[in-house]
């Protein structure tokens, strides 16, 4: 910032995010209606080909919203309510809990017992062969859901209860309107999109140490268009209050800090290398023993 103070001008909300999220919700509502009378094979096909992309993209919209990128820091609660709205087409309550744990990830990256992005000892011990690592990738959404309860359980908040009730109400309405195939499409799209899917390469690309001494990596490939530039991950951790839309400008302005860092151009290759490289496993993360006072959301 001392060398490039113009970066401060990028620290502002991305109001376009609001309209993108609204359109994504409407797109999924349209899909819920269209799949209700299809054969099951086509419901499964569209859940993976279309629904999974929208669902995973929506989780990254919720990631943006968790950083108050939709309405700004001055309207933090507007972002929380909007996150609950964005959560609806995913089928399972996610937004409020994600916000609480994700802030810990930024404050205490790799913090043992705090950062639930770090796999458990069981994951590192068991998923150590090529086949087991492949299964681990398929089951990633389940591990991300269960891991916080094992590593760092937190008391349930009022907003989490509201998130749960809003989601259950939405699911009941969808079932009443369009039946079980629409519900299956919704849930299957979320699970498939966060599991064995090209976009899921970002889970591993972000912080797994393919190169010793480098714990955060950026990805500059085309899937950033679907993921709100989450691939610009070094830039995001340096400036978490800059919306994803503006992270390419951060890289352009401060190119001397980012251009020579290890980087990826293919999340599919990341997934392949993770499975096939016998030196990489869920253990391939930097873990820190935190000292001093720890403040969590």
């Amino acid at each position: 910032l001392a060398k490039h103070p113009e970066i401060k001008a990028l620290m502002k909300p991305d109001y376009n995010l609001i309209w993108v999220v609204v359109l994504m919700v409407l797109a999924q509502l349209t899909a819920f209606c269209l799949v209700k009378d299809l054969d099951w094979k086509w419901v499964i096909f569209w859940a993976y080909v279309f629904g999974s992309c929208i669902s995973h993209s929506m989780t990254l919209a919720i990631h943006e919203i968790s950083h108050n990128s939709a309405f700004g820091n001055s309207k933090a609660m507007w972002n929380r309510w909007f996150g609950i709205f964005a959560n609806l087409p995913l089928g399972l309550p996610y937004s409020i809990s994600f916000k609480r744990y994700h802030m810990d990830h930024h404050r205490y990256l790799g913090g043992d017992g705090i950062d639930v992005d770090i796999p458990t000892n069981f994951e590192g011990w068991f998923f150590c062969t090529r086949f087991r690592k492949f299964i681990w990738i398929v089951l990633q959404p389940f591990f991300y859901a269960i891991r916080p309860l094992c590593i760092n359980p937190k008391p349930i908040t009022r907003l989490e209860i509201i998130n749960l009730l809003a989601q259950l109400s939405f699911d009941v309405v969808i079932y009443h309107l369009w039946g079980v195939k629409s519900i299956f499409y919704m849930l299957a799209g979320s699970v498939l999109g966060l599991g064995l899917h090209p976009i899921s390469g970002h889970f591993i690309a972000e912080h797994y140490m393919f190169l010793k001494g480098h714990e955060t990596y950026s990805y500059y490939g085309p899937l950033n268009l679907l993921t709100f530039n989450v691939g610009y991950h070094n830039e995001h951790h340096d400036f978490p209050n800059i919306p994803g839309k503006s992270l390419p400008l951060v890289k352009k302005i401060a190119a001397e800090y980012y251009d020579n860092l290890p980087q990826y151009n293919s999340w599919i290759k990341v997934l392949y290398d993770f499975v096939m490289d016998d030196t990489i496993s869920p253990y391939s993360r930097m873990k820190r023993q935190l000292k001093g006072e720890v403040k969590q959301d």
Side-chain angles (χ1 to χ4, degrees), residues 33 80 92 146 148 178 190 242 251 276 278 284 294 296:
C33 180
R80 301 293 77 75
L92 297 170
I146 295 169
W178 296 312
S190 296
I242 293 180
K251 181 180 183 295
M276 301 304 293
D278 295 333
S284 303
V294 174
Q296 300 184 66

Side-chain angles (χ1 to χ4, degrees), residues 1-121:
L1 283 176
K3 187 173 181 180
H4 299 288
E6 63 270 31
I7 287 177
K8 292 181 180 179
L10 303 176
M11 299 177 183
K12 57 185 179 181
D14 174 15
Y15 295 117
N16 288 331
L17 176 63
I18 300 169
W19 307 114
V20 172
V21 167
V22 169
L23 289 174
M24 290 169 69
V25 171
L26 292 175
Q28 280 293 69
L29 285 173
T30 302
F32 296 160
C33 180
L34 293 176
V35 302
K36 65 182 175 65
D37 296 320
L38 295 180
D39 289 340
W40 277 106
K41 63 181 179 182
W42 290 111
V43 176
I44 296 170
F45 174 83
W46 288 113
Y48 188 78
V49 171
F50 183 76
S52 63
C53 297
I54 296 291
S55 292
H56 201 138
S57 183
M58 188 64 88
T59 67
L60 295 167
I62 290 171
H63 166 255
E64 288 284 291
I65 295 165
S66 76
H67 285 282
N68 295 334
S69 293
F71 295 97
N73 293 322
S74 63
K75 296 180 178 178
M77 281 305 299
W78 288 39
N79 290 281
R80 301 293 77 75
W81 296 120
F82 192 57
I84 292 173
F85 168 76
N87 194 155
L88 294 177
L90 296 178
L92 297 170
Y94 161 81
S95 176
I96 298 300
S97 296
F98 173 80
K99 155 73 176 176
R100 298 178 71 198
Y101 283 104
H102 188 64
M103 295 304 102
D104 295 340
H105 171 67
H106 276 273
R107 293 191 190 109
Y108 308 110
L109 180 63
D112 190 18
I114 302 296
D115 183 0
V116 299
D117 197 57
I118 299 288
T120 61
N121 287 328

Side-chain angles (χ1 to χ4, degrees), residues 223-262:
L223 289 177
N224 278 306
L225 295 172
L226 298 177
T227 59
F228 301 91
N229 287 328
V230 75
Y232 288 75
H233 217 67
N234 276 300
E235 296 85 346
H236 172 60
H237 272 268
D238 285 347
F239 301 102
N241 55 344
I242 293 180
K245 181 186 75 171
S246 299
L247 292 178
L249 291 175
V250 172
K251 181 180 183 295
K252 182 177 180 181
I253 292 169
E256 68 272 26
Y257 291 98
Y258 299 111
D259 283 354
N260 294 321
L261 293 177

Side-chain angles (χ1 to χ4, degrees), residues 211-225:
L211 294 176
K212 189 175 181 180
H214 295 274
E215 62 174 305
T216 303
Y217 302 78
S218 288
Y219 156 84
Y220 299 122
L223 289 177
N224 278 306
L225 295 172

Side-chain angles (χ1 to χ4, degrees), residues 31-33 35-36 174 178-187:
F32 296 160
C33 180
V35 302
K36 65 182 175 65
I174 295 301
W178 296 312
V180 69
K181 289 182 179 178
S182 296
I183 291 292
F184 177 87
Y185 167 88
M186 175 167 54
L187 297 176

